[in-house]
């Protein structure tokens, strides 16, 4: 039996022994009473009774072990031309001072803090300071609109918002503080305090009594010590909002202790990292990848993590490789979209730099097509590892794992299940299907440690969205189609539900449809994801206008603008087409597969339940207009 099989067997067969061994590598103020509690299935709870602290394990522990001089964060900002290195001792000092500021502003254990910040070290310090005192952070991607921020301020019930005067994208300032001001105007939750990182990029309006400037507050707390609060293993560490099949975003709740254990051991096992390594995840703090592999995972293992403020092609398409050379990055994590974007440029951009430090490039977030995989591997001359996971999982579910055993590569497949994940492909009833056949990707319970506890204040929705897809079987529904081949390799084929994946950003079609339907000229609308060369998928919307409204470019543009404003630039529809009716079943449900099929030029399948066949011809014409087939 190979090492992979051996680890797999133990992790699934002897759950307690396997995870006890991992958890013992970290510091617990009080040891747990029970490794896995399944009494409230499927609300699996790990390390119940244990007390620990994420921040202590990620920062203090290394300083106390005499490793304080080791660099913890390297900040590279092509956007501002700045660069900064912070070692573990310095980071500990900054986190303590920040935690003191939080306390002064009235934030304590269990309170919510919304963080709307760019890719700067302060974001990480803010997250760690929350973790230190048991406050629950909710980081919102700084490309989201004020409406999205307001929705999260309300849903998470936060007490404090932390933002900056501005972020920057390709040299252009993004005025974050004024977006927060607008969000607070419409939010029902009247947050009384806003903490501002003043970067001196733009002017901003200070609201007296409400707005505090970080540098002034820190100056007051300089040298302060705030003891880590020992928290129950299942105390929420953070909330992360993600799109689902219904309009409202879902607040994924992450725990403290089990998540810490899962991240800690994934760093050497999955990513093949060793002590002293420099790790760079090119994601954003606003996504789960950022939480797990820019902040917590690398720090828990005592690595140096790179925080990058910029894009892959600014000021030029060689910038990433320049950073790899400059900081001797060992392991990198990025997305297929970024690679497809870089592929537009000659691979001589790679050749300009010494990439000898780099051992692996991991990619995730969307399906990785074979040509892109091959191009990245050949251009880098390094293994490129596709791996699959979700916001909900918090850490990889399918991956080749160099730290355990590197398996043969099969381009287009994220290889096999990660230890702890009992993955399967099933039919609509939840019965396993023969290998080689397409079905739904599920996880057999229990879920491993460190995934998610539930959806924020909505256990019912957690059960409905993930556990009640198959009425007679308790299986975790991923929402993806997949094939397991005869050798146990998994192939993830894309979403089976109403979620669109644009450049690795997950967007719910319902969310987009509700916004378009809210446009004064629109009666109803449907949005679908279509294949896109660069971003994997792009949004295309079909809108039925209200009576007496005539299709016009003006309405089209205002619809596109509305979606951008309400969700953010990531959700910009590629096209909006006007039709007289949507293809519906007799019971009035929009047949999305017909829309997708027409957009992608695929076979339409059974149309007998369609109410009016002329709707199909109309959509066909619309699709030809767009030229997307
Ligand atoms: P998110 O929760 O935003 O990370 O999105 C998770 C979704 O992204 C998954 O359910 C998949 O649809 C897709 N995804 C992530 N990684 C991969 C991968 N390696 N291959 C195929 N699809 C992926």
């Amino acid at each position: 039996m190979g090492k992979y099989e051996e680890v797999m067997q133990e992790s699934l067969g002897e759950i307690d022994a396997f995870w006890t061994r991992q958890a013992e590598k970290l510091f617990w103020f009080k040891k747990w009473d029970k490794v896995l509690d399944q009494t409230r299935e499927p609300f699996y709870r790990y390390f119940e009774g244990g007390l620990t602290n994420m921040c202590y394990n990620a920062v203090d522990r290394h300083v106390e072990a005499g490793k304080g001089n080791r660099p913890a964060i390297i900040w590279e900002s092509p956007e501002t031309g700045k660069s900064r290195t912070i070692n573990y001792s310095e980071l500990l000092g900054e986190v303590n001072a920040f935690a003191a500021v939080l306390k002064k502003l009235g934030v304590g254990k269990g309170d919510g803090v919304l963080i709307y910040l760019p890719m700067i070290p302060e974001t990480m310090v803010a997250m760690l300071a929350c973790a230190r005192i048991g406050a629950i952070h909710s980081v919102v991607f700084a490309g989201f609109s004020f409406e999205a921020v307001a929705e999260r301020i309300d849903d998470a019930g936060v007490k404090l918002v932390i933002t900056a005067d501005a972020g920057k994208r390709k040299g252009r300032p993004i005025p974050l503080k004024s977006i927060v001001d607008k969000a607070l105007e419409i939010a029902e939750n009247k947050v009384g305090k806003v903490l501002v990182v003043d970067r001196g990029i733009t002017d901003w309006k200070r609201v007296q009594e409400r707005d505090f400037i970080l540098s002034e507050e820190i100056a007051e707390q300089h040298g302060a010590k705030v003891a880590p609060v020992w928290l129950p293993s299942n105390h929420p560490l953070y909330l992360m909002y993600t799109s689902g099949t219904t309009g409202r975003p879902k607040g994924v709740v992450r725990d403290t202790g089990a998540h810490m254990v899962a991240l800690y051991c994934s760093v050497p096992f999955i990513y093949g990292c060793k002590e002293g390594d420099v790790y760079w995840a090119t994601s954003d703090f606003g996504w789960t990848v950022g939480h797990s592999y820019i902040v917590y995972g690398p720090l828990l293992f005592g690595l140096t993590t790179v925080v990058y403020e910029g894009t892959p092609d600014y000021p030029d398409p060689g910038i990433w490789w320049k950073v790899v050379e400059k900081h001797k990055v060992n392991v990198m994590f990025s997305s297929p979209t970024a690679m497809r974007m870089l592929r537009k440029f000659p691979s001589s951009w790679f050749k300009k730099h010494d990439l000898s430090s780099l051992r692996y490039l991991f990619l995730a977030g969307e399906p990785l097509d074979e040509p892109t995989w091959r191009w990245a591997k050949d251009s880098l001359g390094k293994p490129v590892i596709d791996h699959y996971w979700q916001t909900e999982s918090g850490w990889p579910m399918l991956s080749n794992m160099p730290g355990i055993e590197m398996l043969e590569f099969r381009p287009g497949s994220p290889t096999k299940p990660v230890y702890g994940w009992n993955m399967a492909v099933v039919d609509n009833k939840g019965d396993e299907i023969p290998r080689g056949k397409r079905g739904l990707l599920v996880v057999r319970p229990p879920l491993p440690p460190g995934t998610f506890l539930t959806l924020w204040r909505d256990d019912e929705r957690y059960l409905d969205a993930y556990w009640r897809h198959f009425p007679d079987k308790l299986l975790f529904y991923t929402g993806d189609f997949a094939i397991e081949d005869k050798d146990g390799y998994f192939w993830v084929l894309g979403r089976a539900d109403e979620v669109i994946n644009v450049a690795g950003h997950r967007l719910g079609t319902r969310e987009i449809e509700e916004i378009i339907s809210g446009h004064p000229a629109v009666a109803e609308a449907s949005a679908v994801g279509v294949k896109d060369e660069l971003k994997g998928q792009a949004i295309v919307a079909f809108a039925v206008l209200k009576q007496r409204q005539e299709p016009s470019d003006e309405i089209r543009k205002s619809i596109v603008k509305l979606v951008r404003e309400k969700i953010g630039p990531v959700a910009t529809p590629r096209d909006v087409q006007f039709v007289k009716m949507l293809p519906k079943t007799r019971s009035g449900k929009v047949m999305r597969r017909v829309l997708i099929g027409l957009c992608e030029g695929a076979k339409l399948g059974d149309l007998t339940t369609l109410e009016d066949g002329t709707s199909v011809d109309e959509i066909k014409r619309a699709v030809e207009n767009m030229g997307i087939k």
Side-chain angles (χ1 to χ4, degrees), residues 184-203:
L184 286 172
E185 261 169 42
I186 60 162
E188 276 167 29
N189 171 11
K190 294 294 160 218
V191 176
K193 291 189 176 103
V194 176
L195 185 57
V196 183
V197 182
D198 189 359
R199 307 177 73 198
I201 295 176
T202 51
D203 289 336

Side-chain angles (χ1 to χ4, degrees), residues 240-243 252 287-289 336 363-368 385-393 397-398 412-414 441 478-481 491-497 499-501 504-507 537:
M240 164 62 67
Y241 286 88
T242 187
S243 295
V252 164
W287 313 119
T288 298
V289 176
L363 299 176
E366 59 195 294
L368 174 62
I385 303 178
D386 178 15
H387 64 328
Y388 164 92
W389 50 300
Q390 307 183 301
T391 301
E392 290 82 351
S393 72
M397 305 157 86
L398 298 167
S413 160
L441 183 64
T478 62
D480 284 303
F481 281 125
W491 305 73
V492 183
L493 307 173
R495 300 291 302 192
D497 57 11
V499 166
I500 307 179
N501 191 330
H505 306 315
R506 200 163 124 183
L507 300 161
Q537 280 192 301

Side-chain angles (χ1 to χ4, degrees), residues 245-558:
T245 51
T246 57
R248 213 159 43 89
K250 305 193 269 200
V252 164
V253 185
R254 202 80 67 201
D255 76 288
T256 300
H259 189 54
M260 169 180 96
V261 173
L263 289 184
Y264 176 86
C265 64
S266 70
V267 172
F269 290 172
I270 301 177
Y271 295 98
C273 290
K274 298 193 286 261
E275 236 190 280
D277 272 352
V278 178
Y279 187 95
W280 180 18
T282 67
S283 179
D284 190 283
F285 290 130
W287 313 119
T288 298
V289 176
H291 285 50
S292 294
Y293 295 111
I294 300 177
V295 184
Y296 294 116
L299 291 190
L300 281 168
F301 203 72
L303 303 181
T304 302
T305 185
V306 177
V307 173
Y308 180 82
E309 185 181 32
T311 50
D313 58 347
Y314 180 84
D316 63 58
I319 182 68
W320 277 11
W321 317 115
K322 193 172 166 188
V323 171
V324 169
E325 177 177 15
K326 179 175 172 193
H327 297 296
K328 301 197 170 41
V329 173
N330 302 108
V331 178
M332 206 169 155
F333 179 165
S334 189
S335 70
T337 293
M339 289 302 124
R340 285 197 289 264
M341 204 252 245
L342 289 174
R343 207 180 148 193
K344 293 194 296 190
F345 304 98
S347 45
S348 52
W349 283 108
F350 289 81
K351 310 278 183 291
K352 285 194 188 1
H353 299 284
D354 173 7
L355 306 180
S356 56
S357 60
L358 195 67
R359 294 199 299 277
Y360 316 107
L361 169 66
F362 284 79
L363 299 176
E366 59 195 294
L368 174 62
D369 53 293
E370 180 169 350
T372 303
W373 175 77
R374 219 167 269 292
W375 173 84
K377 175 177 79 70
D378 294 344
S379 307
L380 281 173
K382 312 280 173 177
V384 172
I385 303 178
D386 178 15
H387 64 328
Y388 164 92
W389 50 300
Q390 307 183 301
T391 301
E392 290 82 351
S393 72
W395 59 287
M397 305 157 86
L398 298 167
S399 187
N400 210 341
M401 297 184 280
I404 291 179
E405 180 189 0
M406 191 80 111
L407 303 176
E408 179 206 329
F409 281 85
R410 303 230 172 139
S413 160
T415 319
K416 295 190 181 189
V418 166
Y419 54 87
W421 292 94
N422 195 348
M423 311 293 295
V425 177
V426 301
D427 64 16
N428 278 329
K429 290 200 197 99
D431 292 323
E432 217 154 301
I433 57 171
R435 289 202 174 180
K437 283 226 145 66
R438 180 179 114 136
L440 298 167
L441 183 64
V442 297
V443 187
R444 289 199 207 87
L447 293 183
T451 65
F452 65 142
L453 295 174
T454 186
L455 294 179
W456 184 238
R457 295 190 183 130
D458 205 346
D459 286 350
E460 269 307 299
R461 194 171 176 206
Y462 168 78
L463 294 171
D464 282 341
Y466 303 104
W467 295 98
R468 289 180 179 148
H469 194 80
F470 311 97
D472 308 319
K473 290 202 172 67
L474 191 69
L475 293 169
F476 176 83
Y477 176 63
T478 62
D480 284 303
F481 281 125
I483 292 175
E484 182 181 0
D485 75 10
K486 63 177 182 4
D487 305 315
Y489 278 70
F490 283 69
W491 305 73
V492 183
L493 307 173
R495 300 291 302 192
D497 57 11
E498 290 158 18
V499 166
I500 307 179
N501 191 330
V502 181
H505 306 315
R506 200 163 124 183
L507 300 161
T509 50
R510 278 277 293 280
E511 204 178 333
I512 298 162
E513 285 163 3
E514 279 169 21
I515 292 167
I516 300 179
S517 306
H519 186 283
V522 175
E524 62 173 338
S526 193
V528 293
V530 298
K531 281 203 192 85
D532 183 273
E533 286 268 303
L534 194 62
K535 298 174 178 167
Q537 280 192 301
I539 300 165
V540 166
F542 297 93
V544 179
L545 293 179
K546 284 183 182 153
Q547 269 187 337
R548 285 193 285 278
Q549 291 284 351
E550 285 303 317
S552 69
D553 230 27
E554 210 183 322
I555 300 183
R556 176 176 293 123
K557 282 192 192 135
S558 64

Side-chain angles (χ1 to χ4, degrees), residues 570-588:
V570 284
T572 308
R574 189 166 77 183
D575 207 342
V576 179
Q577 284 289 322
F578 301 112
V579 290
K580 292 214 167 51
M581 77 181 110
L582 295 169
K584 288 189 181 170
T585 60
R586 290 194 184 108
S587 57

